[in-house]
Amino acid sequence: MIRVIGGGVMGLAVAAELSGRGRAVTVIDRERQAGPHHCSWWAGGMLAPDCEGETAEEPVVRLGRAAADWWAGQGARVIRRGTLVLALDRDRAELARFARRVPGAPLEAEGIAALEPDLAGQARRGLHVAGEAHLDPRATLAGLRARLAAQGVVFETGEARPGPGDIDCRGLAARDALPDLRGVRGEMVVLRLRDLDITRPVRLLHPRHPLYIVPRGQGLYMLGATQIESEGRGPATARAVLELLSAAYALHPAFGAAEVLEIGADARPAFADNLPRIRRRGGVIHVNGLFRHGFLLAPAMARMVADRLCDGITPEVCDEDHG
Ligand SMILES: Cc1cc2nc3c(=O)[nH]c(=O)nc-3n(C[C@H](O)[C@H](O)[C@H](O)COP(=O)(O)OP(=O)(O)OC[C@H]3O[C@@H](n4cnc5c(N)ncnc54)[C@H](O)[C@@H]3O)c2cc1C
């Protein structure tokens, strides 16, 4: 029986890969189900490897390309409508810079209106990055957990200390074993706005306050996310909320009438280069550092963990091995 400590997106993905290869798995988490206690709860659910390539390194783009299919294979509702990248007129230099780094189809006003009729007239230039996808992280976590339980994965609730043979997926709580892990705070808002129908994630470029909006269906939109070098998991600040809401309002004034349903914050677990790692130390396999790419990279990381345990293949993101 392999013990996976931590039932966030990383732990569940590892459990899915190992269980799928016939291994007996127990997942231990402090809490009984997905919820605000873990970072995975606050994610936007964008599976956008190309757009992330604007700032992320090559492995994120390459490994992230497998995510949409993997999640669909696990029964998640993956929506494949690409990403719409927009800039207001005053920020058009941002769009030109983005388009130099990210492959996409340039759009004029008519093209934007054809993709998202409710955004007609709100921006004159954009980019459509096809092949990207999104999902609802909360429904996905709950669905995967139920699926794994039905497959025979055992779920236990409690505090655990990883020991030899265990897989440590404790997110930021693993700093006791991974001292170079840091937190990068992210704040988000959930709105309800029934009068506006946006069907795919929209990124609004801005030199200081870039915004993304992820539709969750039935008039719900997740706005995200700040990125601050801080481990603080406390409530979102007024400034962060103001920035997110102002950007949404600049994208479409209809957001001014939205109901604010939720304001949240958490700290993303990240290493110095913002790339994830599989690290073996004292017989424990630590899988961590997903940064802003939890749903994007957990599938590839989980596959590498399973390849190592089942077939002895050294993972490409294994930076250390002390037995
Ligand atoms: C605002 C925001 C937006 C984001 N948007 C996206 C996005 O659009 N796309 C994307 O791919 N990623 C996104 N992310 C990043 C993503 O959420 C994280 O990378 C991911 O959640 C990290 O997952 P994890 O499983 O490593 O950690 P966590 O989700 O924190 O899970 C760790 C688990 O370990 C458990 N645990 C800890 N210690 C113990 C212990 N001793 N015993 C038992 N259990 C323990 C905890 O209870 C927790 O459930 C976003 C993050 C934020 C904050």
Side-chain angles (χ1 to χ4, degrees):
M1 175 71 78
I2 299 174
R3 294 200 325 163
V4 176
I5 318 293
V9 66
M10 192 62 255
L12 293 185
V14 166
E17 273 294 317
L18 289 173
S19 161
R21 299 189 197 194
R23 295 298 182 104
V25 181
T26 296
V27 177
I28 306 171
D29 198 285
R30 287 169 173 161
E31 301 289 338
R32 195 167 292 280
Q33 57 195 16
H37 64 281
H38 58 192
C39 188
S40 303
W41 186 252
W42 303 106
M46 289 181 300
L47 305 175
D50 292 318
C51 285
E52 288 301 310
E54 182 213 2
T55 49
E57 292 190 42
E58 181 274 338
V60 173
V61 180
R62 176 169 44 85
L63 298 174
R65 289 210 170 109
D69 286 346
W70 190 90
W71 284 111
Q74 297 295 333
R77 185 166 170 262
V78 175
I79 301 168
R80 300 171 194 258
R81 296 182 62 80
T83 304
L84 177 60
V85 183
L86 298 177
L88 302 178
D89 272 356
R90 63 175 187 233
D91 301 322
R92 57 183 176 275
E94 290 296 310
L95 188 64
R97 188 186 54 75
F98 192 94
R100 280 196 294 274
R101 297 185 61 88
V102 176
L107 298 169
E108 304 283 329
E110 310 76 54
I112 296 168
L115 280 180
E116 294 291 349
D118 281 10
L119 292 179
Q122 301 303 322
R124 285 199 285 183
R125 284 177 197 82
L127 198 68
H128 183 219
V129 184
E132 298 196 324
H134 68 286
L135 49 69
D136 178 336
R138 298 175 184 181
T140 298
L141 290 171
L144 181 54
R145 196 184 154 113
R147 183 185 172 96
L148 293 176
Q151 281 170 14
V153 172
V154 175
F155 285 89
E156 291 179 2
T157 306
E159 182 89 15
R161 194 175 171 75
D166 291 344
I167 304 178
D168 176 9
C169 299
R170 291 177 295 150
L172 205 52
R175 270 174 307 178
D176 55 0
L178 304 170
D180 51 340
L181 197 64
R182 76 190 204 285
V184 181
R185 183 176 160 88
E187 286 146 310
M188 54 82 87
V189 175
V190 178
L191 301 178
R192 181 160 52 209
L193 179 56
R194 295 192 196 281
D195 296 343
L196 194 70
D197 186 21
I198 301 176
T199 65
R200 53 174 62 73
V202 176
R203 293 186 181 223
L204 183 63
L205 303 180
H206 185 278
R208 288 185 313 286
H209 309 306
L211 167 85
Y212 58 77
I213 297 177
V214 189
R216 295 228 169 126
Q218 299 182 320
L220 296 185
Y221 294 95
M222 182 274 195
L223 310 188
T226 56
Q227 197 165 298
I228 302 159
E229 288 293 328
S230 160
E231 320 246 302
R233 302 187 68 203
T237 63
R239 178 184 174 148
V241 176
L242 271 172
E243 286 170 6
L244 292 171
L245 293 178
S246 304
Y249 185 70
L251 174 66
H252 200 303
F255 277 107
E259 298 166 69
V260 179
L261 299 188
E262 201 180 315
I263 295 172
D266 209 329
R268 311 166 177 98
F271 292 107
D273 57 4
N274 294 332
L275 291 174
R277 299 278 194 288
I278 296 168
R279 196 174 276 179
R280 187 153 186 254
R281 195 174 268 180
V284 178
I285 295 183
H286 305 276
V287 197
N288 218 314
L290 293 180
F291 182 47
R292 54 182 278 161
H293 307 127
F295 286 79
L296 186 65
L297 294 184
M301 298 297 287
R303 270 198 180 131
M304 285 187 246
V305 170
D307 283 348
R308 173 163 191 145
L309 282 176
C310 302
D311 303 319
I313 299 170
T314 303
E316 81 169 75
V317 294
C318 182
D319 61 350
E320 210 174 309
D321 195 338
H322 297 310

